[in-house]
Amino acid sequence: MPALQMQSGIITLEQYESLPDDRRVEVYDGVLYDIASPSQDHQTISTELTTILNSYIKNNKGSYKVFHAPFDVKLFDQPLTIVQPDLMIICDKNKLDGKRCNGAPDFVIEIVSLSNPSDDYIRKLYYYKEAGVHEYWIVDPRRKTVTVNYFDYDKLNVPYSFDSVIKVNIMDDFYIDFSDISSSLKE
């Protein structure tokens, strides 16, 4: 199945919530899209980053929450827009209702799907910026690049390679060394 397959018609939140739990979908402007399962490299990167983010927050006694897909983020009510970022940090726990995050996470990482890279580079960049995400990273396993978007500073598409050490700007003293992550990928 392609990474994104559009379904016809506008969907409501009630209809979305009645979908089977095993169906992987996102909603953009009320239109439902099926999404593909992640690759091995995608899962490896996601696991490594989740571990790094959680460890940093726990070691620094932070109150932020880290979530990974599948976990719903309702960016907008009208028209309904619900995404499932690969990784996110939420600083405002009031956005969490037990089912999802309501509003923009502070920090989002998307790992590029081989079958539809434009979704992460174009569509999600637009929606995350409009919703108020502070920082959005696009990790591309095929190109071995990380593209960082610092929306608060209007710095878009700042390029890094997989041998870079990258600062997480929403925290004071937090850097991620991508060479450690790159070494865990399949050859």
Side-chain angles (χ1 to χ4, degrees), residues 120-122 125 136 138 146-151 154-160:
D120 296 316
Y121 283 104
I122 299 169
L125 178 104
Y136 171 43
I138 304 167
V146 180
T147 304
V148 178
N149 297 279
Y150 303 106
F151 295 138
D154 281 330
K155 286 184 170 180
L156 301 180
N157 301 316
V158 178
Y160 294 92

Side-chain angles (χ1 to χ4, degrees), residues 8 12 24 32 48 50-51 70 72 89 96 107 130 148 163 165 175 177:
S8 60
T12 65
R24 299 194 70 232
L32 188 69
E48 294 286 330
T50 300
T51 301
D72 288 347
I89 295 175
L96 300 169
F107 177 80
E130 290 299 306
V148 178
D163 60 359
V165 176
Y175 296 83
D177 185 346

Side-chain angles (χ1 to χ4, degrees), residues 3-7 11 16 19 23-35 69 71-73 80-86 110 119-120 123-124 128:
L4 282 176
Q5 181 178 342
M6 186 173 83
Q7 305 294 310
I11 190 169
Y16 176 82
L19 293 170
R23 186 164 178 201
R24 299 194 70 232
V25 297
E26 292 182 320
V27 180
Y28 295 95
D29 295 327
V31 178
L32 188 69
Y33 292 84
D34 287 302
I35 54 178
F71 185 74
D72 288 347
V73 173
L80 184 63
T81 301
I82 297 176
V83 294
Q84 293 188 352
D86 291 318
E110 291 286 1
D119 190 50
D120 296 316
R123 183 198 314 252
K124 288 186 178 183
Y128 290 148

Side-chain angles (χ1 to χ4, degrees), residues 60 70 124 135:
N60 290 281
K124 288 186 178 183
E135 192 168 340

